[in-house]
Every structure is written in C-alpha cells, then in structure tokens.
Amino acid sequence: MNYFKTTIFILIVIFVNLLLAAEKNTHIILQEWQLIYKEYNAQGITIVYDLNNDQFYYNDTNRARKQYLPASTFKLLNSLIALETGVIKDENEIIKWDEKDRGIPQWNRDHCLKTAFSNSVVWFYQELSRRIGRNRMQQYVKLSDYGNHEINGAIDSFWLDGQLRITPLEQIEFLKRLYFEQLPFSKRNFEIVKRISIVEQTNSYTLHAKSGWATSVFPNVGWWVGYLEQDNNVYFFATEIDIIDPSDNDKRELLTREILKSMDLLQ
C-alpha cells in the first residue's frame, strides 16, 4: 500500500513538473520590454501571443493575471452581441446623434457601427446596450466567457464603471476565440467585426485593434488590444497601462507598436 501511494505521489510530482516546464517554455518574460516602458515613462504590461509557435511573450507576470475594467475594448463583444440580437442590422446602419455635446467633436454627429467603433463613440454603444437589454447582454457575456462575467451596474456603462473585469491574459484568449470564430455568433457577424476593427492594412500585414480608457478608477486604465496578421502567422496582443495624465493616452498604442517592431513585426 505504501509502495502504491509512493508511486502515485511520484507520478503526480512528475506531471506537475511537466506542466510547469511546458508553461516555462511557452511563457517567455522579456525584460528588455521594460526598457521600452521606461523610455515612455509608463507602468503596465504588454502580452504578445505568437500563434504558430504557441508562445506568450510579456514583461510582467503579476500584472498579466490582474483584473481591470475593459473600458472600450468591450466594444468588440458589444458589437458582436448587437449584430447577433439584431438591434443593429449591419456596420452601415445609422443611429442618429441626440445632439448632446459630450466634449469630443468626432462624437457629435450621426454614426454607424463602423464609424462608432473607429471613433470609440460611447453614446452609440450605450444606445446599443440599452436596446440589447440586461438579460440578453448577460447571456452573451457568459456564453462568451468574457472576463468575470459581471455586468452589475448601469446597462449602458457597466464596462466603464461597473463590476466587469478582465485580465490581459483573458483579453488574449477572447481575441483568439474571436479570430477563430469560437464564440456564439454567426460567421457573418464575425466578419463584420473583423472588418471594422482593422486599423491598418498594407501589402505585408493587417492590424486589428481596439483602444480602451477607463476614467472611473485611479490610476485610469488604458488598453490597446488586437491582433496582427503577418507572414502567415497571427500575433495577438494586449497592452494595459496606468494613465495618470491625459498625455499618457497615446502611450498605449505607441508602446505596443514599439514592442511589435522589436519583434521584427510591422514596419
């Protein structure tokens, strides 16, 4: 009996060590990325997942699993839900501006899904969320396994100031499921969201991304997440930084691009 227990224990130890070794091989910490963060005087994390090589690269292991408000990165899922529930028919359907000046000139006009996504128009997505309603929103957030699934708070702002939280690693996993169309949405709706999320396209690569900025907490939470299709490979990325001052806002994208270039990606 003791021999049996000892054998089982040894096998468990071997199995755990194999798992740890596998994670060590696929999760690579790049301290040189900290130099890029220092150059930009920023605090945060960038994760890049190399699909073909099944490897995660990042600069901060602790922050990778910390939960943050998703802010406007939630517009990726919100767009899919809005299309799937039919509250908006496609990326070109117009919703009329209510003529309330929200202090951002590009928001002060009528918008369609395509322009609202690219300009991160909060009032447009608030209207979509009200049309979707709490029950359907909760259903799809849970089915999509998005973050902690919590949509407590106002139905039209829970991703900005409610209890919804997501980690940088969970952002990567969500982006992978979006890319491979492994979420509860139709192929048509995946294709629409993939189209509207393109921020740059050249002969050698296509870059999809969404920014986010949560101002209801301090430090503010800044995101730039997406994926890069290049050289017959896909690189999923998630950058999350502290925004102390509005001038930090541009650092989300600048940092990410600098890191991707350090990997010999982009141009």
Side-chain angles (χ1 to χ4, degrees), residues 231-250:
D231 297 331
N232 297 313
N233 198 357
V234 187
Y235 302 86
F236 300 87
F237 60 85
T239 290
E240 184 281 322
I241 68 168
D242 294 339
I243 296 182
I244 307 297
D245 183 88
S247 62
D248 295 328
N249 206 12
D250 292 340

Side-chain angles (χ1 to χ4, degrees), residues 100-130:
K100 293 180 181 178
D101 187 346
R102 293 170 174 86
I104 301 177
Q106 59 265 38
W107 289 9
N108 295 340
R109 60 182 178 86
D110 299 345
H111 276 281
C112 61
L113 191 66
K114 180 167 57 179
T115 60
F117 187 92
S118 61
N119 290 285
S120 207
V121 181
V122 170
W123 70 257
F124 184 96
Y125 278 88
Q126 289 181 311
E127 175 60 24
L128 292 184
S129 297
R130 289 189 289 267

Side-chain angles (χ1 to χ4, degrees), residues 74-75 77-79 81-83 85 87-88 95 113 121-138 141 151 154-160:
F74 183 70
K75 287 182 172 70
L77 182 55
N78 204 352
S79 298
I81 297 172
L83 289 163
T85 55
V87 302
I88 196 163
I95 293 181
L113 191 66
V121 181
V122 170
W123 70 257
F124 184 96
Y125 278 88
Q126 289 181 311
E127 175 60 24
L128 292 184
S129 297
R130 289 189 289 267
R131 292 181 184 186
I132 292 165
R134 186 170 300 280
N135 289 341
R136 290 191 295 184
M137 183 70 80
Q138 182 66 81
V141 167
I151 66 166
I155 187 59
D156 58 1
S157 66
F158 62 84
W159 62 93
L160 297 169

